[in-house]
């Protein structure tokens, strides 16, 4: 059973339940690279990235990490919510074996109950609590007053 979140029940400062994904595997990156038709060695070839990029191993696609972050948001808002906008800035790579932890906090709420949107600040970190991304989203939530 899914619990529905309503605009009427949220306040500035509320946290969206965090989500954790990982550890990142080669299966994750190869599937995502194939889906995107992104054949860059960065996402699947350990030896190549060590030799040519100076990295210890392959990294996750930024789009993959953003998709997981989006999943966290859309799971929380439910089927009647709407992800209106998302902006993400990637600040550090996610390497093979890394965890991806995403969280969000409500920073602004619409004053107009007939237009029930909220703004959230977003953050992603790895297992060492190193920031991997930041962002901002605008979400529209269902309202009990509009049912």
């Amino acid at each position: 059973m899914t619990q529905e979140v309503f605009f009427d029940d949220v306040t500035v400062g509320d946290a969206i339940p965090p989500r954790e994904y990982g550890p990142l595997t080669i299966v994750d990156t190869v599937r995502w690279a194939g889906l995107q038709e992104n054949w860059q060695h960065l996402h699947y070839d350990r030896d190549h990235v060590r030799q040519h990029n100076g990295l210890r191993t392959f990294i996750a696609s930024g789009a993959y990490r953003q998709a997981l972050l989006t999943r966290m948001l859309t799971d929380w808002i439910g089927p009647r919510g709407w992800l209106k906008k998302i902006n993400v800035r990637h600040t550090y790579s996610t390497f093979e074996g890394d965890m991806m932890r995403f969280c969000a906090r409500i920073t602004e709420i619409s004053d107009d109950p007939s237009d029930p949107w909220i703004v959230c600040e977003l953050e992603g970190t790895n297992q060492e609590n190193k920031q991997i991304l930041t962002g901002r989203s605008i979400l529209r939530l269902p309202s009990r007053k509009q049912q």
Side-chain angles (χ1 to χ4, degrees):
M1 184 168 130
T2 303
Q3 180 180 342
E4 190 163 23
V5 177
F6 289 94
F7 175 76
D8 317 74
D9 300 331
V10 299
T11 60
V12 169
D14 287 353
I16 292 174
R19 293 288 289 271
E20 181 176 71
Y21 303 94
L24 182 70
T25 69
I26 196 161
V27 173
D28 299 325
T29 59
V30 167
R31 282 182 180 158
W32 194 259
L35 175 74
Q36 289 186 287
E37 296 184 3
N38 179 350
W39 313 120
Q40 293 185 34
H41 293 275
L42 278 171
H43 303 307
Y44 64 88
D45 191 332
R46 292 178 190 99
D47 294 332
H48 186 274
V49 298
R50 287 179 186 133
Q51 289 177 342
H52 299 286
N53 301 95
L55 301 174
R56 66 180 185 263
T57 189
F58 59 84
I59 61 173
S61 160
Y64 176 65
R65 299 184 316 171
Q66 187 169 329
L68 294 175
L69 175 64
T70 299
R71 178 180 172 189
M72 177 194 75
L73 295 170
T74 57
D75 283 354
W76 181 70
I77 63 177
R80 294 195 315 141
W82 181 30
L83 174 59
K84 292 177 68 170
K85 187 173 187 176
I86 187 167
N87 293 310
V88 175
R89 179 175 171 260
H90 298 277
T91 56
Y92 187 72
S93 297
T94 297
F95 294 92
E96 177 182 24
D98 282 355
M99 300 299 291
M100 293 162 279
R101 299 173 177 152
F102 301 112
C103 62
R105 184 163 305 281
I106 299 170
T107 57
E108 190 177 343
I109 294 179
S110 170
D111 291 330
D112 180 0
S114 67
D115 185 20
W117 54 262
I118 62 172
V119 175
C120 295
E121 294 297 322
L122 313 170
E123 184 177 46
T125 57
N126 65 16
Q127 69 282 353
E128 297 167 352
N129 209 32
K130 182 163 183 144
Q131 183 186 78
I132 60 173
L133 62 78
T134 63
R136 179 180 154 108
S137 65
I138 301 173
L139 307 169
R140 185 178 170 96
L141 298 176
S143 173
R144 286 192 174 93
K145 295 174 183 148
Q146 293 180 343
Q147 286 187 344

